[in-house]
């Protein structure tokens, strides 16, 4: 017969489940398994009946029965007909190793042992609590409400079938012949004007690993690599890590400029489609000039196609690599911006000998890219879900860009910006003088998050006017106008007095 003490004990072991978290069945199974492995439910312990479990945990009786069926199937619980459920005696509790006392010892001098003597690198990271901010004008995050979860789940189930699991590329097999590379070659790269073969494509764990691999292969002391200024910090940090000299390359409204600094470089890193952070698209004439300059000076170009295929009218310019007659462009991109950064699916397109060397370097880090995500993404592209999502993303981004532009014209009429033609960012040049750092924290205090322009600058005088980058891929459209009104109040309330020094 149940008692108050009986109920209290089980309520402590199995707290009420939360409907907004994992599925109820999973939460209860996890609680039981944790209690068993930690020894709080010893072998032979009688468990509550399915009716009692439902009452104690706040779930339906069907859910309670499914929990017990799963625990029995996984060997944690024994089912005894007409007697009930009991903790299985074959599962020993997890034992923590107890180290024996050791005499006091001197720890190693880690600073002397570690190879890198570089000072701390600068990152343009957003605060980890950005999701709690009411108006997150941030870039690089996807909108989970727009993600086609049912289609992705369908492809994921197919990737878990036996035939698909067999293609998860066990160690030692030819990873270059993967199904995802095949879909990139057939369906994704052609839209950027790029023709490639399997031996010219390397899958990576996102663009970040691509930067690191390219840096390890090409950057060394004495090498000069040009990076756009203002520009993305991560490739700059990667190239400088192994001793390469990184020089800043100026940009204007047409993209990367042909300057004397450009002629000094062995390699050029650029973002022609939507320049990071200004969103400028490199013009056709400037693209031809950069390629001709690279040919004259025997340079190699790293083309980072950060946000491909999101030109709102669907007619984006071909990638720089697509119009490169001399094979001087190494192209890198990812599926993360459209799908999710958490998937970590990137790729590099380069001549076959370069890909082979990059693959050997990658092998020093990881033996293979996770095959389950590869197969799921390949099926997602193959079955047309990627194209449909791309079209929906273009429409939504265009609507958000128009809403953002309209709100800015009303709230900040003296600020300047160019209407985006694609992508998910807008570069805003402010009127007057502003301390961007204090402006940033004032915005956060009011629930408005943005990227201050100087976070993308390695040199103090890069910005001729204080500027902000506003991302609109992660914010709901109905929040754009009120968010910009709040931003306008913050900016107008923190303008510096004439004659003060601008940071």
């Amino acid at each position: 017969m149940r008692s108050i003490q009986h109920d209290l004990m089980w309520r402590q072991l199995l707290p009420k489940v939360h409907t907004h978290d994992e599925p109820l069945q999973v939460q209860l199974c996890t609680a039981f398994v944790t209690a068993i492995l930690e020894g709080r439910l010893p072998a032979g312990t009688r468990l509550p009946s399915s009716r009692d479990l439902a009452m104690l945990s706040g779930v339906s009786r069907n859910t309670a029965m499914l929990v017990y069926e799963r625990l029995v199937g996984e060997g944690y619980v024994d089912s005894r007909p007409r007697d009930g459920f009991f903790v299985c005696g074959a599962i020993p509790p997890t034992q923590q190793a107890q180290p024996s006392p050791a005499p006091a010892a001197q720890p190693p001098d880690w600073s002397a042992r570690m190879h890198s003597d570089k000072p701390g690198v600068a990152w343009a990271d957003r605060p980890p609590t950005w999701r709690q901010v009411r108006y997150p004008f941030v870039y690089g995050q996807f909108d989970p409400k727009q993600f086609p979860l049912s289609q992705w789940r369908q492809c994921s189930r197919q990737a878990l079938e036996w035939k698909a699991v067999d293609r998860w590329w066990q160690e030692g097999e030819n990873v270059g012949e993967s199904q995802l590379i095949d879909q990139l070659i057939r369906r994704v790269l052609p839209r950027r004007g790029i023709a490639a073969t399997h031996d010219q494509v390397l899958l990576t764990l996102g663009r970040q690993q691509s930067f690191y691999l390219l840096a390890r292969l090409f950057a060394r002391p004495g090498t000069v690599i040009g990076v756009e200024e203002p520009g993305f910090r991560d490739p700059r940090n990667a190239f400088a890590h192994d001793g390469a000299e990184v020089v800043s390359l100026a940009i204007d409204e047409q993209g990367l400029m042909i300057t004397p600094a450009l002629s000094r470089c062995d390699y050029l890193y650029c973002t022609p489609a939507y320049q990071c952070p200004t969103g400028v698209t490199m013009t056709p004439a400037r693209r031809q000039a950069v390629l001709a300059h690279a040919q004259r000076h025997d340079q190699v170009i790293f083309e980072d196609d950060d946000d491909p295929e999101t030109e709102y009218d669907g007619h984006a310019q071909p990638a720089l690599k697509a119009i490169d007659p001399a094979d001087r462009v190494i192209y890198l991109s990812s599926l993360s911006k459209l799908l999710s950064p958490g998937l970590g699916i990137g790729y590099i397109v380069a001549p076959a000998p370069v890909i082979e060397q990059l693959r050997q370097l990658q092998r020093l880090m990881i033996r293979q890219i996770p095959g389950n995500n590869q197969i799921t993404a390949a099926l997602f592209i193959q079955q047309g879900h990627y194209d449909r999502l791309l079209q929906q993303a273009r429409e939504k981004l265009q609507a958000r860009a128009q809403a953002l532009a309209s709100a800015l014209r009303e709230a900040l009429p003296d600020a300047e910006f160019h209407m985006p033609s694609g992508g998910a960012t807008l570069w805003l040049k402010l009127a007057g003088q502003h301390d961007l750092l204090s402006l940033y924290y004032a915005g956060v205090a009011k629930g408005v998050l943005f990227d201050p322009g100087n976070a993308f600058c390695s040199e103090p005088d890069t910005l001729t006017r204080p500027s902000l980058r506003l991302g609109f891929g992660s914010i709901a459209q109905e929040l754009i106008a009120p968010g910009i009104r709040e931003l306008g109040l913050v900016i107008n309330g923190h303008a510096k007095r004439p004659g003060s020094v601008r940071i």
Side-chain angles (χ1 to χ4, degrees), residues 123-439:
W123 307 95
D125 288 339
R126 61 185 58 88
T129 57
W130 72 268
R131 291 181 183 277
Q132 282 72 55
V133 175
R134 181 166 176 75
Y135 305 113
F137 292 101
V138 297
Y139 175 67
Q141 302 295 332
F142 81 122
D143 184 351
K145 295 180 181 178
Q146 309 302 329
F147 187 75
L149 186 59
S150 61
Q151 290 87 349
W152 183 264
R153 186 182 288 123
Q154 173 189 340
C155 294
S156 182
R157 283 197 297 266
Q158 295 172 23
L160 292 172
E161 294 174 356
W162 282 112
K163 290 183 179 179
V165 171
D166 189 52
R167 296 197 304 271
W168 283 10
W169 301 120
Q170 299 303 314
E171 192 176 329
E173 296 193 25
N174 185 4
V175 294
E177 296 297 326
S178 83
Q179 186 176 353
L180 179 55
I181 289 180
D182 186 66
Q183 287 303 308
L184 292 175
I185 291 171
R186 292 172 180 268
R187 301 283 293 277
V188 177
L189 291 174
R191 285 198 291 259
R192 305 297 293 124
I194 298 173
T197 55
H198 282 263
D199 60 351
Q200 295 173 335
V201 182
L202 175 71
L203 296 177
T204 67
L205 294 173
R207 288 165 54 245
Q208 194 69 33
Q209 190 186 47
S210 298
F211 299 147
Y212 190 79
L213 289 172
L214 292 173
R216 291 306 304 262
L217 187 58
F218 296 110
R220 57 183 61 87
T223 300
V224 180
I225 302 180
V227 177
E228 296 164 324
E229 176 80 4
F232 192 19
R233 285 289 186 92
D234 290 17
R236 176 182 287 271
N237 294 335
F239 298 143
H241 185 267
D242 287 329
E245 179 187 355
V246 179
V247 300
S248 298
L249 305 178
I251 60 168
D252 61 12
E253 65 279 359
Q254 298 185 55
L256 185 64
M257 297 175 64
I258 309 296
T259 63
L262 197 68
S263 302
R264 294 186 51 219
C265 301
D266 302 300
Y267 302 90
L268 313 175
Y269 167 85
C270 59
T271 51
Y274 307 109
Q275 198 274 334
C276 175
T278 65
V280 168
T281 297
M282 191 183 294
T283 63
R286 185 64 61 81
R287 291 171 187 244
Q288 293 293 345
V290 170
L291 287 172
H293 186 280
Q295 181 67 26
R296 286 196 307 272
H297 294 271
D298 191 23
Q299 297 167 323
V300 168
I301 299 172
F302 301 139
E303 178 184 13
D304 184 1
D305 207 1
D306 177 31
D307 205 354
E309 303 186 73
T310 54
E311 192 77 7
Y312 303 149
D313 62 6
H315 297 93
Q317 291 189 41
L320 199 62
K321 183 168 183 58
I323 59 173
D324 168 28
D327 224 6
R328 291 188 172 275
V329 176
I330 293 177
Y331 176 90
L332 56 140
S333 187
S334 77
L335 302 179
S336 298
K337 289 297 188 296
L338 186 63
L339 296 177
S340 168
L343 292 175
I345 300 177
Y347 50 94
I348 300 174
V349 183
V354 175
I355 291 297
E356 180 57 32
Q357 289 300 310
L358 290 170
R359 182 171 287 121
Q360 295 299 324
L361 279 174
Q362 189 183 53
R363 173 65 183 268
L364 297 175
M365 304 168 66
I366 55 172
R367 286 187 175 271
Q368 63 189 59
I369 301 294
N372 55 334
N373 281 350
Q374 280 191 54
I375 299 296
T376 303
L379 292 169
F380 191 81
I381 297 171
Q382 185 177 13
Q383 296 173 15
H385 305 310
Y386 182 87
D387 290 58
R388 192 176 302 111
L389 176 61
L390 181 59
Q391 182 58 39
Q392 293 171 353
R394 288 171 179 157
E395 294 171 358
K396 288 181 171 63
L397 288 176
Q398 183 176 27
R400 292 179 186 183
Q402 292 170 344
L404 179 61
S406 177
L408 286 171
R409 294 188 185 104
E410 182 177 340
L412 293 165
D414 295 330
E416 293 182 12
F417 63 90
H418 292 287
M419 181 67 188
S421 61
T425 65
L426 181 145
W427 186 248
L428 184 68
K429 297 180 180 180
L430 303 181
Q433 297 180 337
H434 297 270
D435 181 336
L436 290 177
L437 186 60
S438 64
L439 185 64

